[in-house]
Amino acid sequence: MMKRLWATAFLALCVVASNAQAADDPLPSWSDGASKAALLQFIQATTDSSSAKFVAPEERVATFDQDGTLWVEHPLYTQVVYCIERVPAVVANKKPDLKSVEPFKTVLSGNREAIAKLSLPDLEKILAATLTGMTVDEFQADAKQWLATAKHPRWQRPYTELVYQPMLEVLRLFRANGYKTYIVTGGGQDFVRVYSEQVYGIPPEEVVGTAGGTSYGLDKAGRPELTKDPKLLLNDNFGGKPEGIHLVIGRRPHAAFGNSTGDQQMLEYATIDNGPVLGMLVLHDDATREYAYGPAERLPETKVGTFTQALYNEAKQRGWFVISMKSDWKRLFAFDQ
Amino acid sequence: MMKRLWATAFLALCVVASNAQAADDPLPSWSDGASKAALLQFIQATTDSSSAKFVAPEERVATFDQDGTLWVEHPLYTQVVYCIERVPAVVANKKPDLKSVEPFKTVLSGNREAIAKLSLPDLEKILAATLTGMTVDEFQADAKQWLATAKHPRWQRPYTELVYQPMLEVLRLFRANGYKTYIVTGGGQDFVRVYSEQVYGIPPEEVVGTAGGTSYGLDKAGRPELTKDPKLLLNDNFGGKPEGIHLVIGRRPHAAFGNSTGDQQMLEYATIDNGPVLGMLVLHDDATREYAYGPAERLPETKVGTFTQALYNEAKQRGWFVISMKSDWKRLFAFDQ
């Protein structure tokens, strides 16, 4: 009897210890491995004032690409889906002349095959028509409403639920250690700001994105309004990412996370000749749980995506970590069991 | 004897009480009056969770113009002095072709009268030549060096000492109450960021200013560099101030401080139909301690400056406070006794 009691007590202790370990683990959705170890080591080294790699609190800046790094980017960028789905309302309420003009005619036809084949210049026309010409307030209200109802075709869940749980844990880990976590996205700054606080815990002032100009004025009732202009101020992709970081933040980040050639320059800017640094690229190599697209060396069975072989080679050369979605992430989404 | 002891004790108590009062006053350089009372009331009301005017911590944003609001702007904007004084080095080291071209020829002549008469287009040429074409790092190092040695012609002190002590107290008061204090300046963002942390306690990411584009690349040694382009992204004056606030911050401020028509739209944006708000304009009406320029109604003896009569009228209409440098500020600079 006594023996059994002891055994039960021991078992209970083990459970407590295991729970304690889980509770202590700031990255529970990450498998043990090089990526998780690098994250924990970077945080430890840069926040320990006795470490040679200590980073002063005000210099703790980490930047994160969004599409494909923090949330799903396939089969289309969420914002592109938004713009396409906004076409009917914009044409009906604001720009009736576009009704019989391509590519709007195709979008209005509802022919999914034809829509899927739209060219990049066509998409740009759709973006310009649906992202400019309204006030910032109108745009925000509209995007918010769309995000509340639109669903991803594969998961049939709101896009804002398709954020990677492991990356939410990284954002929290960095912030808990005094880092400011900026989104630096090729997506529209105004679009991402609509949900960044709620979804990522990132306030609007810590979102850098592709940004157009606005024009200030007072409306008929004498209230201030900013109207979104079709003038591009910042294309926050490729070299535009370090340029946007300089424009809005004015400091070089010590850690940067991306997943594509559009993030290459941001990772270079963060990690070359800049003291203690961490560069990480998410590799989408999990066709079962999400999608697989990437360098031929790692994913010979898939077509090369925006994570090119050249980017993979640069990552190896510069010591950037490649996060394998398949093997580094135990759990993908918060709704996964 | 006993009586005298009591008297001494009483006197000591009075001194302690008086010191305690001074220590409790977050605005010791301000005279009692409407402006000081408005500042204290605004902070009290917006940070008291039981107040109808409570502002949630994340929404606590206050914006401050710099030239003429936080530091002296006469006889020339400090950055314009910097640009003029940089001409010889820029011509010698970077752009020798400009040697015989106006307005550079005039600047190189050293003829102060002729320099003082340069037109606005001439000054713009000088700004473009001295603020672009170099890397951000080169520019910062150069501006830092200049600021360490250059002196204001009237006070013979570094420009960075010519900041208004009462406004430093306002910045600290706001920050101590959870407000982010942004500089929103018509001056160059890159220029102000060089000293904003040291002089105002404001980090680079909380400086919004007139900004040009940059171009990202790797230098010959493979290190990242951003080169300053002659492409204007944001003219952070007039309507450009709310536009810049939206671009960088993405929230409307609840308090805004300025001193000229260039700040009018920022104060409108902050104070019209935006809940609990505070708008304040510094009136330079102190020719003895600083300068006097402003609306005819207040300063009939001076020529109307950038604080026009129309702006003064709008301030009265909208309930913005006009800070009288002469009567509201007991002490102007930290070096004043």
Side-chain angles (χ1 to χ4, degrees), chain A residues 77-325:
Chain A
Y77 296 129
T78 304
Q79 191 179 355
V80 172
V81 180
Y82 166 76
C83 291
I84 290 172
E85 297 195 358
R86 286 303 299 144
V87 166
V90 167
V91 170
N93 305 328
K94 293 247 176 187
K95 298 170 183 173
D97 295 350
L98 297 179
K99 198 175 167 181
S100 48
V101 178
E102 288 296 357
F104 304 96
K105 206 173 152 185
T106 296
V107 174
L108 290 169
S109 75
N111 181 336
R112 289 189 177 211
E113 268 184 50
I115 294 170
K117 282 182 193 155
L118 288 173
S119 66
L120 194 61
D122 279 342
L123 285 175
E124 281 171 359
K125 281 179 199 159
I126 292 167
L127 265 60
T130 52
L131 297 176
T132 67
M134 70 291 289
T135 69
V136 164
D137 289 348
E138 284 169 350
F139 171 78
Q140 286 172 340
D142 198 75
K144 197 171 181 178
Q145 195 181 6
W146 182 83
L147 285 160
T149 53
K151 288 187 175 165
H152 190 283
R154 173 165 166 184
W155 286 275
Q156 289 298 319
R157 286 179 177 271
Y159 289 92
T160 48
E161 289 186 16
L162 297 175
V163 299
Y164 306 129
Q165 179 63 25
M167 292 306 292
L168 291 179
E169 293 167 5
V170 170
L171 290 171
R172 279 186 215 118
L173 171 66
F174 272 73
R175 289 198 292 263
N177 284 280
Y179 278 84
K180 280 193 181 176
T181 55
Y182 284 86
I183 290 174
V184 179
T185 174
Q189 186 167 283
D190 283 343
F191 185 78
V192 178
R193 280 174 169 175
V194 169
Y195 55 85
S196 62
E197 187 132 37
Q198 181 206 331
V199 171
Y200 303 116
I202 294 179
E205 63 269 29
E206 290 166 19
V207 174
V208 185
T210 294
T214 56
S215 291
Y216 175 80
L218 297 181
D219 69 9
K220 285 174 192 163
R223 287 181 301 245
E225 63 179 16
L226 288 165
T227 303
K228 286 169 72 66
D229 292 338
K231 179 192 165 195
L232 185 68
L233 289 188
L234 175 69
N235 177 358
D236 201 33
N237 286 298
F238 306 103
K241 293 213 175 197
E243 291 159 20
I245 289 169
H246 176 68
L247 178 68
V248 176
I249 312 175
R251 302 184 192 268
R252 282 177 75 181
H254 284 278
F257 298 76
N259 77 305
S260 81
T261 51
D263 307 313
Q264 177 197 342
Q265 290 82 355
M266 174 169 79
L267 265 77
E268 290 174 358
Y269 187 58
T271 65
I272 302 174
D273 200 27
N274 191 29
V277 296
L278 180 69
M280 290 195 149
L281 291 167
V282 175
L283 175 69
H284 295 257
D285 57 358
D286 194 336
T288 308
R289 293 189 300 172
E290 204 234 20
Y291 298 99
Y293 49 103
E297 187 181 310
R298 288 289 289 266
L299 301 171
E301 76 281 9
T302 66
K303 66 176 182 183
V304 169
T306 50
F307 195 147
T308 60
Q309 186 63 47
L311 180 63
Y312 185 79
N313 296 346
E314 183 173 357
K316 294 288 123 183
Q317 182 217 323
R318 299 203 187 275
W320 300 339
F321 289 82
V322 173
I323 298 166
S324 160
M325 181 171 276

Side-chain angles (χ1 to χ4, degrees), chain B residues 309-323:
Chain B
Q309 185 63 47
L311 180 62
Y312 185 81
N313 297 345
E314 183 172 357
K316 293 288 122 183
Q317 181 216 324
R318 298 202 187 275
W320 300 339
F321 289 82
V322 174
I323 299 165

Side-chain angles (χ1 to χ4, degrees), chain B residues 6 126 144 162 303 314:
Chain B
W6 274 111
I126 291 167
K144 197 171 181 178
L162 297 175
K303 67 175 183 186
E314 183 172 357

